[in-house]
């Protein structure tokens, strides 16, 4: 079924492209993600979940929610012979559980439970030195005795959301099996390729999975292929506000979010020639202002612009979409710098 027909099938009350209802659902989804990230809302798969009637503005959580949504919609559109991926986007959320307080654990658990409820297939991997060092943890391999493959949690169906929790990572030494697992995970994150080891040779299997890494500080397996977003630690005053106002909050329509994710993730987007020219000019100007900006940054911006358009149900990246993505990037970098200065 063509994507346009898919949108009209899921959102029949909207216009020809379904973009009006898509925009409404998108705004609601970002609001819920922000409320969970800021600790103003908790989510339980078995509970009566509602968005609080009053939310305290949290720019850090709002920005993180935007990037989290784009990461959920990411998929591999194409691969070049040189290994360049088009469409893949990994997100590292830093500081979601940056202390031992129960509030931070609740934020993390609520986020994982909510994503489990709207994404059809998810996999959560808890990283630690001990687990990585355990033979066959992440690297798929063949057992020569049984002539069977030893499965790996990285062997996932296309579209499965991979969530990597690094909160238990600490200093330590990786043995040979640990290094192999570490490099297998890094390969999936950076290249969307899963290495498979046989007795006398190895092979690579292309994968296509949205990836979210959650860590106390910068991820140990994340080397810049994507974005780093930091979330502040909870304020207890906000938790009290959440507990008071959630009674009169708005109920959550999980089914609409599931339809939204299924439709928008399949949407193919293109950039018209006018926008492409503007993008090239903006990159040149950005390079002149900051020599640290590279072609890799430009590639991330292009990927984000496609995902941003798809998140609104739009098949074409316009100049307005491109400018909105650049503004989002500016706000993200400003947030990270502000958070770093306070640590």
């Amino acid at each position: 079924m063509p994507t346009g027909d898919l949108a009209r099938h899921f959102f029949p009350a909207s216009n020809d492209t379904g973009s009006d209802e898509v925009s409404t659902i998108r705004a609601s989804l970002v609001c819920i993600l922000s409320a969970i990230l800021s600790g103003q809302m908790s989510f339980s798969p078995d509970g009566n979940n509602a968005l609080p009637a009053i939310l305290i503005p949290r720019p850090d959580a709002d920005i993180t929610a935007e990037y989290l949504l784009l990461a959920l919609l990411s998929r591999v559109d194409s691969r070049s012979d040189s290994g360049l991926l088009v469409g893949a986007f990994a997100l590292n959320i830093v500081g979601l559980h940056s202390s031992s307080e129960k509030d931070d654990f609740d934020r993390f658990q609520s986020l994982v439970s909510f994503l489990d409820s709207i994404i059809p297939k998810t996999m959560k991997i808890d990283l630690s030195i001990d687990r990585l060092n355990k033979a066959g943890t992440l690297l798929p391999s063949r057992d020569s005795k049984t002539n069977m493959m030893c499965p790996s949690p990285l062997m996932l169906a296309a579209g499965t959301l991979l969530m990597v929790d690094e909160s238990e990572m600490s200093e330590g030494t990786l043995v040979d099996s640990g290094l192999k697992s570490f490099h297998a995970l890094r390969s999936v994150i950076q290249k969307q390729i899963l290495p498979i080891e046989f007795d006398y040779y190895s092979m690579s299997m292309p994968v296509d999975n949205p990836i979210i890494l959650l860590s106390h500080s910068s991820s140990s397996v994340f080397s810049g292929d994507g974005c780093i977003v930091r979330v502040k630690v909870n304020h207890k005053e906000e938790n009290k506000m959440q507990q008071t106002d959630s009674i009169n909050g708005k109920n959550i329509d999980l089914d609409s979010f599931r339809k939204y994710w299924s439709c928008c993730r399949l949407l193919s987007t293109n950039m018209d020639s006018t926008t492409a020219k503007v993008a090239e000019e903006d990159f040149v100007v950005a390079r002149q202002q900051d020599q640290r900006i590279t072609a890799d940054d430009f590639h991330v911006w292009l990927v984000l612009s496609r995902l941003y358009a798809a998140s609104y149900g739009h098949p074409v990246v316009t100049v307005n979409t491109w400018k909105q993505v650049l503004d989002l990037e500016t706000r993200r970098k400003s947030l990270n710098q502000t958070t770093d200065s306070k640590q």
Side-chain angles (χ1 to χ4, degrees):
M1 180 184 294
T3 307
D5 294 338
L6 189 66
R8 285 189 289 272
H9 173 72
F10 279 158
F11 311 108
S14 298
N15 57 21
D16 289 342
T17 62
S19 59
D20 289 345
E21 189 171 353
V22 168
S23 297
T24 301
I25 295 173
R26 182 193 193 280
S28 178
L29 180 54
V30 169
C31 186
I32 291 171
L33 289 173
S34 178
I36 292 175
L37 290 166
S38 62
Q40 299 182 69
M41 171 186 169
S42 59
F43 181 88
S44 172
D46 301 321
N48 184 19
N49 301 286
L51 182 67
I54 299 177
L55 294 173
I56 298 175
R58 283 287 297 271
D60 55 338
D62 293 341
I63 294 173
T64 305
E66 287 282 351
Y67 279 94
L68 177 54
L69 174 61
L70 300 185
L72 295 177
L73 297 177
S74 65
R75 63 185 176 93
V76 178
D77 288 329
S78 62
R79 302 173 187 262
S80 68
D81 294 337
S82 62
L84 178 67
L85 292 176
V86 176
F89 173 67
L91 177 68
N92 180 200
I93 299 179
V94 177
L96 185 62
H97 41 198
S98 57
S99 75
S100 59
E101 294 185 11
K102 183 178 182 296
D103 287 339
D104 292 315
F105 177 77
D106 289 342
R107 284 197 301 172
F108 174 72
Q109 285 299 115
S110 290
L111 178 62
V112 172
S113 296
F114 180 68
L115 296 180
D116 280 341
S117 298
I118 64 173
I119 307 298
K121 296 168 289 188
T122 64
M123 170 60 72
K124 179 173 171 287
I125 296 178
D126 300 315
L127 279 192
S128 67
I129 295 295
D130 290 339
R131 183 173 185 192
L132 284 172
N133 282 335
K134 185 178 179 180
T137 299
L138 296 180
L139 178 66
S141 59
R142 173 180 172 272
D143 188 333
S144 58
K145 295 181 180 179
T146 62
N147 198 30
M148 300 285 289
M149 287 295 301
C150 298
S152 161
L154 295 178
M155 300 175 71
L156 303 171
T160 302
L161 172 63
L162 176 59
M163 295 177 284
V164 182
D165 179 15
E166 296 186 49
S167 61
E168 296 183 10
M169 284 291 287
S170 58
E171 294 184 359
T173 302
L174 290 175
V175 299
D176 182 61
S177 59
L179 287 172
K180 289 181 178 179
S181 289
F182 180 86
H183 289 302
L185 178 58
R186 173 169 283 186
S187 176
V188 170
I189 294 171
Q190 295 182 347
K191 304 175 183 178
Q192 289 282 330
I193 290 178
L194 176 62
I196 301 177
E197 191 174 74
F198 294 89
D199 292 336
Y200 303 108
Y201 68 97
S202 60
M203 63 173 290
S204 298
M205 181 177 72
V207 296
D208 182 7
N209 303 113
I211 297 174
I212 300 170
L213 300 99
L214 303 112
S215 56
H216 289 305
S217 57
S218 295
S219 169
S220 58
V221 294
F222 191 90
S223 61
D225 297 78
C227 289
I228 298 176
V229 180
R230 293 179 172 83
V231 184
K232 295 178 186 176
V233 176
N234 255 336
H235 295 298
K236 293 183 179 180
E237 294 79 3
E238 293 175 358
N239 291 336
K240 294 178 182 179
M241 179 68 74
Q242 173 259 320
Q243 294 172 3
T244 300
D245 294 325
S246 61
I247 298 175
N248 300 317
K250 181 179 180 181
N251 289 331
I252 297 175
D253 183 5
L254 293 177
D255 189 51
S256 66
F257 296 149
R258 296 177 185 126
K259 292 178 180 179
Y260 168 87
W261 180 87
S262 300
C263 180
C264 291
R265 189 171 186 270
L266 293 176
L267 182 63
S268 297
T269 57
N270 296 301
M271 179 177 287
D272 58 42
S273 57
T274 301
T275 306
K277 183 178 180 180
V278 171
E280 291 176 2
E281 293 172 350
D282 286 343
F283 173 62
V284 172
V285 172
R287 280 278 296 164
Q288 293 172 346
Q289 296 175 348
D290 187 351
Q291 293 297 316
R292 293 173 296 180
I293 294 177
T294 66
D296 290 336
D297 295 303
F298 186 50
H299 174 71
V300 171
W301 297 347
L302 292 174
V303 171
L304 289 175
S305 66
R306 290 174 177 267
L307 293 173
Y308 197 83
S311 72
Y312 280 96
H314 297 159
V316 178
V317 179
T318 62
V319 173
N320 183 52
T321 301
W322 170 256
K323 294 296 185 182
Q324 287 177 317
V325 167
L326 291 185
D327 178 67
L328 189 63
E329 275 287 84
T330 299
R331 290 160 55 200
R332 175 183 69 85
K333 292 178 181 179
S334 176
L335 167 66
N336 287 350
Q337 292 173 356
T338 301
T339 306
D340 287 340
S341 65
K342 293 181 179 181
Q343 292 178 343

